[in-house]
Amino acid sequence: MREALKGQLFPTQMKKNTIPPSITREKESCQLGNSAGSCYEYFTTLKNIAAVIGKGSSECTAQLYNAKEVASAMSDGIELMVRLAWGVKPPEPGPERFGWLQEAEIATFCRLKNIYVRANGEEAWTALRQKIAAKLPGEDVAPSADPTQTIVEARKATVMLSEMDIWNRSLFSVRCEVF
């Protein structure tokens, strides 16, 4: 696995230099750009990680997943995809809950979810979902034009919406069987 993901998830050695994995730069690009184009490489890397891990048996999946680089890349990827789809305020239930994500990105999310559940179980998936939901914004707070005014922190979605509402408005509610 390390060999298959060298350069993407694990650093590579070039003579005496260690070259950091590309996933860090790709994730940053995706966060800053917040578009299909700026996230393409990052989502491709996540898809590759899922493919490499998914090739193993259930026991192997859990073992491979336990590598800290893999676990953090997968949970970070799931969280970022959910946050990108959500946007700066709660989306309306329905197709808007996917934001700009298209079928290909949603299929990648479903692949990550599948691997996560295979490696960690449904309870861990529910815990991750709740942890991510707690970070989602519940409202969009416009920045004040008055520089003397204190910055108002947006209330979180968990304060403004029920768990079921958050579920219905988020990427978590996608029916992965169709992807």
Side-chain angles (χ1 to χ4, degrees):
M1 174 192 69
R2 276 190 178 279
E3 208 47 51
L5 297 172
K6 195 178 265 188
Q8 288 183 309
L9 185 61
F10 299 102
T12 49
Q13 284 296 127
M14 208 122 163
K15 295 183 182 159
K16 290 183 180 172
N17 298 329
T18 301
I19 299 160
S22 64
I23 194 165
T24 312
R25 177 185 39 79
E26 294 165 359
K27 181 181 173 195
E28 247 172 58
S29 248
C30 180
Q31 286 172 310
L32 292 170
N34 191 2
S35 69
S38 61
C39 293
Y40 179 78
E41 285 181 327
Y42 181 58
F43 291 165
T44 301
T45 297
L46 290 174
K47 204 164 48 178
N48 291 345
I49 294 167
V52 169
I53 294 168
K55 285 179 184 161
S57 64
S58 293
E59 299 79 44
C60 285
T61 301
Q63 236 177 345
L64 294 172
Y65 196 94
N66 284 332
K68 74 177 183 359
E69 296 91 344
V70 173
S72 85
M74 296 280 286
S75 51
D76 287 358
I78 290 165
E79 180 173 338
L80 184 55
M81 292 184 96
V82 170
R83 293 173 77 122
L84 291 171
W86 186 269
V88 294
K89 65 183 192 321
E92 289 306 312
E96 289 80 32
R97 72 185 189 271
F98 302 140
W100 54 260
L101 300 181
Q102 298 295 309
E103 282 189 16
E105 290 92 3
I106 296 167
T108 298
F109 172 81
C110 286
R111 186 86 176 109
L112 296 176
K113 174 190 176 186
N114 182 7
I115 298 293
Y116 191 94
V117 171
R118 254 179 64 191
N120 303 298
E122 281 292 340
E123 281 179 26
W125 174 254
T126 301
L128 178 68
R129 187 172 50 80
Q130 290 168 337
K131 183 180 136 204
I132 294 170
K135 298 177 185 179
L136 297 173
E139 60 187 351
D140 185 14
V141 176
S144 172
D146 180 1
T148 60
Q149 190 176 15
T150 57
I151 296 168
V152 179
E153 191 67 30
R155 291 179 294 173
K156 297 293 178 200
T158 48
V159 174
M160 305 184 70
L161 301 167
S162 70
E163 190 174 343
M164 194 55 158
D165 260 345
I166 293 171
W167 166 267
N168 286 331
R169 295 168 185 248
S170 75
L171 191 54
F172 288 117
S173 66
V174 71
R175 291 185 37 235
C176 284
E177 318 77 73
V178 299
F179 284 94

